[in-house]
Structures are given as C-alpha cells and as structure tokens.
Amino acid sequence: METEKSNSVQGFRCIETRFSDKCTAGHTLFYKEHAVRNSHPSKPVGKTLFVLNVPPYFKEKSIQELFSVAGKVMSVCFEEKPSGTKEMINQKSFFFQNHVKGFKVAYVVYNNASSLKEAMKLEWGTIVISTEEKPIKTGLEKWILEYEKSFVNPKALQEEIDRYMEEFDKRKEREEKEEKLKEGQPDDDGWITVTKHSKHAARTETMEKKVMEKEKQKQKDKKLINFYSFQMRETKMEHLTQLRRKFEDDKKRIATMRAARKFKPY
C-alpha cells in the first residue's frame, strides 16, 4: 500500500483509491458523518457515514472491508442520490437486489458511535480495491458471471419471495402503527395530522365540507359570469348609442358647413 497525505474538502474526508496495481488513474472517495435533522432510524445519527463518488465497480463488501478498519460495520447501502430521511433497505438477497448503475452514494452504519469517530480520524494511503487475493470481476468476465447467475433455482426463489414478503408485511405493519400513534395528536403548531387510518366520521365531515366549498365556488363563478355578460351587453348598447349620437352631430355640422360655403352676392 502506497502512503499519501490525506486531506479534507469542505468537511469531507478524502480517500484515494485505484482499481488495481496496474491502474495509474484512480478515484477519490469523500465521506463525512451523516448528520441530518430528520434522519431515518435505519441511518442513525452518530453511527452512520455518508460516502460520495463511489465508482460503479465498488461492491457493498468493498465498502464494508474498507471502513471496517475503524470498527465493526453493521450494514452498507448504495443509493443513486442522497436520501437521508428515507429508510435504508439493505437487501442481501440475490433475487431482490436493487443494483445502482454508475456512480453512487453509500451509507455505512457502525455498531458503535466510537467507530464513527475513529473513522473520521483515520489517515489513509492509496487503497487498491481489486487484488490477486480478492479480485473484482469486470468487463467480459463480469458479464459471463452475471449470465450464469441469471438461471434461477425455483425453490431458492420461492424461499426468497416468502422471506421478502414477510419483511414487507412487518414493515407495513410498523408504518401503520406509527401512523395510528400520530392520529389525533397535535404538533407544535397545534395542527392535527389526518391519515388514511382516521375515523370514518371525521373523513365524511371533511369530504362534506370540501363538497360544500366547491358548490359555493361554482355558484359564485356562475353569478360572476352572468354579471359580466350583462355588463358586456350594456356596454355595447351604450357604445352604439354614442356612435349614433355622434353620427347625427356630424351630419348637422356638415350641413352647416355646406350652407356657409354657398355664394351670396346680396
């Protein structure tokens, strides 16, 4: 491992990486402590690292081994873009993996908060990702491997489906319980959250109020339309009357002018 001076950029720690020893060019990983106001419990503040500029060939295992130097890593999740307020779903299943193409971001969750603090103090050298002991498949070898893995074992697939649906049902049940706890509870400003689990009477009253407001608005718009139509008719009639009056005045003025031009010797 070559040793280089590490630095920081706008609060991010930097890690210089290369794909292999043969590569002269590399990529810089940027990471810092994941600290947002409304973080999801799956990304606990104080235990989670936020990593940027992760190349496509990086695997979850690569990130896990890299940051395990500071302490035991509980989970790693790749996402296309930062989403600190959403749940981090770490799917280890082969059949239900959400593969992120191209460059990505990663969330690294430690078991202990002390490990995160240790990671922020580490002095990194140049890290080689693909070694002879742990090679990473790319190009044609990767495509062949993915093709071979595309043949699914029906029994294994069914087991994965059952496991996935079980976890999905538990997650939905947990979300419904959280929504029910919020129901009827005012926030700091005194507003009460209304969810799909609200009582039927409350929903009926709310819908009735909306219908009445729409009906009142329709009646108001109808009156305005009639008023403007009547006003337009009156305006047109008045304009025509003014034109007729002006026409008569012009006729009289022209007659007077013609009379004044006649020759009168006596």
Side-chain angles (χ1 to χ4, degrees):
M1 179 182 295
E2 300 177 10
T3 303
E4 293 184 2
K5 185 178 179 180
S6 63
N7 55 2
S8 300
V9 177
Q10 296 184 355
F12 284 89
R13 299 280 295 169
C14 304
I15 307 176
E16 298 295 331
T17 67
R18 287 188 300 174
F19 178 74
S20 66
D21 291 327
K22 298 179 181 179
C23 296
T24 57
H27 292 280
T28 304
L29 300 182
F30 303 93
Y31 73 94
K32 68 176 181 178
E33 181 180 353
H34 173 62
V36 294
R37 183 176 297 177
N38 298 318
S39 64
H40 196 274
S42 63
K43 303 170 184 175
V45 174
K47 295 183 180 180
T48 307
L49 283 179
F50 173 55
V51 189
L52 284 175
N53 199 38
V54 182
Y57 53 79
F58 264 78
K59 306 297 181 184
E60 286 88 348
K61 190 175 181 181
S62 305
I63 292 289
Q64 183 175 1
E65 292 179 352
L66 179 64
F67 287 98
S68 293
V69 179
K72 187 177 180 180
V73 175
M74 185 169 61
S75 60
V76 175
C77 180
F78 287 147
E79 296 182 7
E80 291 182 353
K81 56 184 179 180
S83 59
T85 58
K86 294 182 180 180
E87 181 178 4
M88 182 175 71
I89 302 176
N90 186 21
Q91 297 174 345
K92 298 181 180 179
S93 168
F94 169 75
F95 304 107
F96 296 99
Q97 287 182 2
N98 183 20
H99 296 284
V100 181
K101 298 180 179 179
F103 280 78
K104 49 210 170 188
V105 301
Y107 291 93
V108 183
V109 181
Y110 283 105
N111 277 15
N112 301 314
S114 58
S115 300
L116 184 141
K117 294 179 181 179
E118 184 65 25
M120 296 301 297
K121 299 177 183 178
L122 289 175
E123 295 293 335
W124 301 91
T126 300
I127 306 299
V128 177
I129 304 304
S130 180
T131 61
E132 294 182 359
E133 296 80 12
K134 297 179 181 179
I136 295 177
K137 301 291 184 181
T138 58
L140 186 60
E141 292 182 355
K142 179 184 177 182
W143 296 339
I144 293 174
L145 182 63
E146 290 178 351
Y147 174 76
E148 291 176 349
K149 288 183 177 180
S150 64
F151 295 95
V152 179
N153 184 340
K155 184 178 179 180
L157 177 59
Q158 186 61 52
E159 292 176 355
E160 289 292 341
I161 291 174
D162 295 339
R163 189 179 303 110
Y164 179 86
M165 292 307 300
E166 184 180 353
E167 293 177 358
F168 176 80
D169 292 339
K170 289 180 180 178
R171 187 165 66 252
K172 292 297 291 184
E173 184 179 357
R174 184 171 63 254
E175 291 176 356
E176 289 179 359
K177 288 181 179 178
E178 291 176 356
E179 289 182 357
K180 287 181 179 179
L181 290 174
K182 293 179 182 179
E183 181 63 32
Q185 298 296 327
D187 58 13
D188 296 336
D189 297 327
W191 294 95
I192 297 177
T193 303
V194 179
T195 66
K196 61 182 180 180
H197 302 290
S198 302
K199 293 182 180 180
H200 182 69
R203 290 201 303 272
T204 304
E205 184 180 353
T206 303
M207 292 302 296
E208 185 178 355
K209 186 177 180 180
K210 289 183 178 179
V211 171
M212 293 299 294
E213 288 178 354
K214 287 183 179 179
E215 189 64 27
K216 288 180 180 179
Q217 187 64 35
K218 286 182 180 179
Q219 294 295 331
K220 184 178 179 181
D221 294 342
K222 188 176 180 180
K223 290 179 181 179
L224 287 174
I225 291 172
N226 294 336
F227 172 77
Y228 286 127
S229 300
F230 173 77
Q231 188 181 37
M232 289 176 66
R233 287 195 297 270
E234 290 293 323
T235 303
K236 288 180 180 179
M237 292 297 295
E238 185 179 354
H239 183 61
L240 288 172
T241 303
Q242 290 177 357
L243 288 175
R244 289 193 184 100
R245 189 181 299 113
K246 188 174 183 297
F247 178 70
E248 294 296 332
D249 293 342
D250 290 342
K251 283 175 64 178
K252 291 179 181 180
R253 188 169 63 253
I254 291 171
T256 304
M257 292 174 64
R258 284 177 178 175
R261 290 178 183 175
K262 290 183 179 180
F263 177 69
K264 296 180 180 179
Y266 303 104

